[in-house]
């Protein structure tokens, strides 16, 4: 199982960092303590040797005393009891009292020895500290020479005694770390849970959203989460706009489909009760025209639905003049013959875009220009290039729409044009294709009372905005 949790990795990371920091601190303290212990024990060896020399020089040993003098060392066993320093001071001796052994030589004669010096290593007759390994045991010794009395005083301590003390110190360092790990981990968990609570609240707010409830999220979040909330609110706004657009599209499409369907139904009824050939022919003709209008509407609706879901287009460099002629050739002959076509084309112009979409764009513009022109009117098509942009202007004569600002809205048709076949989607498709190519489209009334449609599209790859 793969664990993919921020909380888990935060817990793991912080605990590992904490354990590493505490362990490093314990290691440093342990080594410093060992160093200090070595200095204390070394000083104790030297002090004991010098103290013994003072006793001997003070004549505290009687001449008739049997040599060597054995100094008794009280035996205090460490029974593993956890005693305080005050309790240990009440005993007759201390457990570490027997950790230092000594012996005194005068010439070759041993004159004094501690009771615990039975395994005393062979001393070195050289003043100072020495490390001597004897019988697989390492000893730290201190040799002190008193020249006036020809005395050699040797004090010694086993290294494993020091290591034992180091072990106690290490336990004292590790024990708090181990004891604090669990409560510290629990506290870290609570802190992480508290820190991540705003993220949990944000997740609950997002999970609570439905298509009917896409209102903005308003939470008091930390500065790091505010950009996420802003991005989510922006996404919700786009979703609301998209849903609203889809609802409007469905409503408008339903309305537009209802009219031809009603007409078809009416003429079908007329056909069923027709008594003569003239009525039958009239009803059949009406049904045929209604079917054409519905087929055109369905094609336009499919085009709009297709464009709404396009996010990326395949672009190539396209010569404009051949594309323009191809688009004109796709118009119905009735529209081609209805008006006079006046073409002023710059053959050097080219476009950078999707050929199929651009062909649909030009076809819809030409269709609208011819459809809404009077019979024997003129449609002028002009192309030229300026500042690495290609401009296409399509002008017709006739009556321009008074509400130019609404041109390009879905299903918008001027009341005077309701008798013409159409769905009010052509210029909406044109506007959408222009937007996909990073271009611009504008409408204006010309001197002949007709409409000028000016389309600006990029001619080069680097000018297209994605």
């Amino acid at each position: 199982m793969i664990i993919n949790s921020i909380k888990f990795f935060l817990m793991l990371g912080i605990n590992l960092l904490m354990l590493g920091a505490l362990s490093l601190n314990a290691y440093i303290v342990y080594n410093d303590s060992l160093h200090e212990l070595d200095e204390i024990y070394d000083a104790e060896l030297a002090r004991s040797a010098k103290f013994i020399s003072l006793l001997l020089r003070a004549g505290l040993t009687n001449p008739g005393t049997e040599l060597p003098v054995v100094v008794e060392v009280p035996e205090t066993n460490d029974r593993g009891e956890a005693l305080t320093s005050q309790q240990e001071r009440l005993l007759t001796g201390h457990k570490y009292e027997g950790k230092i052994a000594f012996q005194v030589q005068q010439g070759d004669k041993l004159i004094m020895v501690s009771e615990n010096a039975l395994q005393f290593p062979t001393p070195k007759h050289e003043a100072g500290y020495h490390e001597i390994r004897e019988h697989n045991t390492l000893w730290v010794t201190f040799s002190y020479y008193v020249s006036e009395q020809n005395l050699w005083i040797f004090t010694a301590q086993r290294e494993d005694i020091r290591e034992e003390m180091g072990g106690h110190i290490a336990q004292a360092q590790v024990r708090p770390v181990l004891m604090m790990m669990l409560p510290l981990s629990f506290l870290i968990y609570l802190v992480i849970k508290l820190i991540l609570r705003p993220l949990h609240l944000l997740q609950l707010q997002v999970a609570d959203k439905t298509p009917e409830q896409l209102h903005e999220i308003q939470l008091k979040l930390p500065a790091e989460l505010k950009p996420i909330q802003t991005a989510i609110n922006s996404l919700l706004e786009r979703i609301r706009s998209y849903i609203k657009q889809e609802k409007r599209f469905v409503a408008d499409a339903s309305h537009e489909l209802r009219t031809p369907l009603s007409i078809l139904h009416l003429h079908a009824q007329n056909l069923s009760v027709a008594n003569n050939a003239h009525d039958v022919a009239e009803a059949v003709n009406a049904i045929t025209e209604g079917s054409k209008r519905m087929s055109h509407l369905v094609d336009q609706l499919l085009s709009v639905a297709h464009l709404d879901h396009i996010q990326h287009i395949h672009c190539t460099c396209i010569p404009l003049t051949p594309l323009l002629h191809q688009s004109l050739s796709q118009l119905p002959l009735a529209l081609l013959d209805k008006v006079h076509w006046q073409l002023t084309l710059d053959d050097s112009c080219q476009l950078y875009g999707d050929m199929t979409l651009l062909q649909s764009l030009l076809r819809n513009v030409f269709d609208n220009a011819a459809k809404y022109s009077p019979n024997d009117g003129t449609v002028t098509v002009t192309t030229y290039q300026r500042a690495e942009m290609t401009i296409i202007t399509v002008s017709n004569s006739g009556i321009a729409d008074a509400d130019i600002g609404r041109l390009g809205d879905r299903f918008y048709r001027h009341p005077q044009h309701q008798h013409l076949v159409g769905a009010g989607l052509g210029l909406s498709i044109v506007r959408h294709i222009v937007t996909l190519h990073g271009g611009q489209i504008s409408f204006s009334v010309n001197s002949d009372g007709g409409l000028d449609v000016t389309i600006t599209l990029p001619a080069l790859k680097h000018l297209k905005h994605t």
Side-chain angles (χ1 to χ4, degrees), residues 75-137:
E75 183 177 354
T76 304
N77 295 325
D78 186 357
R79 294 173 293 180
E81 299 176 356
L83 301 178
T84 65
S85 298
Q86 192 65 29
Q87 290 172 327
E88 289 178 344
R89 290 169 186 161
L90 298 177
L91 301 175
T92 56
H94 197 277
K95 61 183 178 181
Y96 291 136
E97 188 177 348
K99 304 300 182 182
I100 298 178
F102 65 89
Q103 63 180 10
V104 181
Q105 293 180 1
Q106 190 171 35
D108 294 331
K109 185 189 298 182
L110 183 65
I111 63 173
M112 184 177 289
V113 64
S114 63
E115 191 178 28
N116 59 348
L118 298 178
Q119 297 179 346
F120 202 93
T122 302
K124 289 186 178 181
H125 291 72
E126 181 181 345
Y129 292 97
H130 308 283
E131 289 186 358
I132 302 174
R133 182 174 294 278
E134 190 166 308
H135 303 299
N136 294 324
T137 301

Side-chain angles (χ1 to χ4, degrees), residues 240-250 308 410:
R240 285 199 304 270
S241 175
Y242 181 78
I243 292 177
K244 183 179 179 180
Q245 181 180 349
E246 289 298 310
K247 288 181 177 179
R248 182 166 58 86
F249 175 77
V250 171
D308 280 344
R410 289 180 180 179

